[in-house]
């Protein structure tokens, strides 16, 4: 694209670095900002800069937090003996939204992915093992994506922690609620037959 | 959504104000920025702030420009007697990309849209009339979107400038090159029959 201004070109280049944003979308966003009040754009710019510079992570679970220890880890109502291991803060939000979980979390900050150069040392794995050493943890639940990376991470984590005397579980995989059988992919359907559960168990709340 | 941090919530709210960006996309973009180097995020923030504060518009055609008069208006190679009237800088880029136009531009900065509260006085219309008064303009080409707003704007502009002794034209409308008749909508096809052109003219380069 031929831009009529260097400032415009720079701004479009910055926006185009964001995931899922191409040159055309970037230009649309930049022109939108140009139409806003100076004050509002300044606010936008300041908020982003502040976010990156002042963000903190909970000392215990490594979720994004404004305090040293996040609300969930600090709460007396949460069951500290169950830890749900998730990839990032979005997954914490997703699990919280179900209102089905009363334990605490451990945010890995990613998944093991040799293709992207992400190894175990890049993730909060040592800190998880430390938590198991110190705390009175009874159960670990892996709530990771059902992808190659998720499975690799679970495999590795399981090896690291299986010597502890705790229950290790993963969230159930199978057909989604409301899902019609004919539209379910073969792998999911096949696995959900192989890992079938007693009917009584499927009624558990 | 329940955010674990106020900083995170604020940043997501700012991104969600952008057109076509919802809460989930905003969160994805913000988490992406959190994974970047501080330096890079600072650069992103600074570029946006600089853009809004230092952007200038060409005195003549009102296109975005770093100079007082933009490159196109300042060029001796461009034909100053033909003015192409467009909505915004994206349209200038689109027409420039065709390599079919050697005149100059006039950027309105929007289209007349009573629904959005945009009237003629919000656009660069008076400055266009002024250009026609002063310069030796022979032709005006309206290259505006084929929408209600575009047509309204052309209708209004035509009334304002028809007393000048200049040719007023609009870009051709009809079926797109490569378009198959059976997939063309009825209005476009109907109008393209009504406004048919002599075969000789259709071969013009």
């Amino acid at each position: 694209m031929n831009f009529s201004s260097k400032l415009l070109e720079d701004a479009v280049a910055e926006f185009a670095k964001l995931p899922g944003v191409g040159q055309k979308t970037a230009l649309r966003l930049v022109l939108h900002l140009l139409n806003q009040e100076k004050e509002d754009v300044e606010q936008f710019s300041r908020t982003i800069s502040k976010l990156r510079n002042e963000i903190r992570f909970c000392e215990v679970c490594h979720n994004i937090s404004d305090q040293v220890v996040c609300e969930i880890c600090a709460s007396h109502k949460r069951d500290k003996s169950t830890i749900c291991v998730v990839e990032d803060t979005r997954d914490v939000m997703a699990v919280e939204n179900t209102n089905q979980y009363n334990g605490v979390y451990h945010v890995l900050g990613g998944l093991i992915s040799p293709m992207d150069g992400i190894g175990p040392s890049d993730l909060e794995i040592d800190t998880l093992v430390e938590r198991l050493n110190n705390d009175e943890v009874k159960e670990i639940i892996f709530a990771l994506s059902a992808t190659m990376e998720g499975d690799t991470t679970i495999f590795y984590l399981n090896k690291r922690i299986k010597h502890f005397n705790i229950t290790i579980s993963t969230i159930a995989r199978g057909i989604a609620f409301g899902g019609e059988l004919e539209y379910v992919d073969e792998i999911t359907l096949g696995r959900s037959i192989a890992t079938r559960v007693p009917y009584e168990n499927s009624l558990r709340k």
Side-chain angles (χ1 to χ4, degrees), chain A:
Chain A
M1 282 201 263
N2 296 316
F3 295 95
S4 58
S5 149
K6 185 80 174 63
L7 286 172
L8 185 68
E9 186 170 359
D10 288 348
V12 169
E14 286 293 335
F15 267 101
K17 283 182 196 164
L18 296 174
V21 178
Q23 287 258 316
K24 284 212 165 181
T25 309
L27 180 57
R28 195 159 55 92
L29 297 179
V30 168
L31 291 179
H32 169 84
L33 285 180
L34 275 180
N35 278 330
Q36 304 307 302
E37 297 293 330
K38 270 191 188 181
E39 191 87 339
D40 295 344
V41 178
E42 202 53 52
Q43 170 83 6
F44 180 81
S45 159
R46 237 180 303 126
T47 307
I48 291 165
S49 168
K50 196 173 165 202
L51 168 84
R52 186 63 188 83
N53 287 316
E54 298 182 12
I55 201 81
R56 291 202 292 187
F57 297 89
C58 168
E59 273 190 350
V60 182
C61 72
H62 304 281
N63 191 14
I64 293 170
S65 166
D66 290 340
Q67 287 96 39
V68 180
V69 173
C70 76
E71 271 181 37
I72 293 175
C73 289
S75 164
H76 294 294
K77 289 183 186 153
R78 309 291 297 224
D79 169 17
K80 304 286 194 313
S81 69
T82 310
I83 296 180
C84 180
V85 176
V86 294
E87 182 183 347
D88 64 21
T89 193
R90 270 180 295 185
D91 301 331
V92 173
M93 287 163 71
V95 176
E96 283 296 289
N97 280 339
T98 66
N99 288 321
Q100 294 278 317
Y101 182 66
N102 193 39
V104 291
Y105 295 90
H106 190 87
V107 179
L108 294 175
L111 295 174
I112 296 174
S113 172
M115 294 282 279
D116 303 313
I118 303 173
S121 59
D122 299 314
L123 308 177
E124 296 292 349
I125 289 178
D126 290 340
T127 49
L128 174 64
V129 175
E130 223 168 276
R131 277 178 86 176
L132 299 184
N133 270 322
N134 300 337
D135 301 352
E136 290 183 353
V137 179
K138 293 197 186 109
E139 183 172 7
I140 287 273
I141 303 169
F142 293 127
L144 301 179
S145 297
T147 59
M148 180 82 90
E149 289 79 17
D151 285 349
T152 308
T153 309
I154 292 179
F155 184 78
Y156 177 83
L157 282 172
N158 186 48
K159 261 180 44 179
R160 283 286 299 271
I161 64 177
K162 67 180 171 193
H163 65 278
F164 290 102
N165 183 27
I166 50 176
T167 312
I168 300 175
S169 51
T170 74
I171 54 172
R173 292 179 183 178
I175 66 169
F177 284 86
E180 294 193 48
L181 275 207
E182 59 183 306
Y183 299 118
V184 177
D185 66 286
E186 297 87 359
I187 297 177
T188 302
L189 188 54
R191 294 291 305 155
S192 75
I193 291 170
T195 60
R196 63 194 175 276
V197 292
Y199 178 60
E200 292 294 319
N201 286 6
S202 74
L203 300 175
R204 271 206 316 214
K205 282 224 175 136

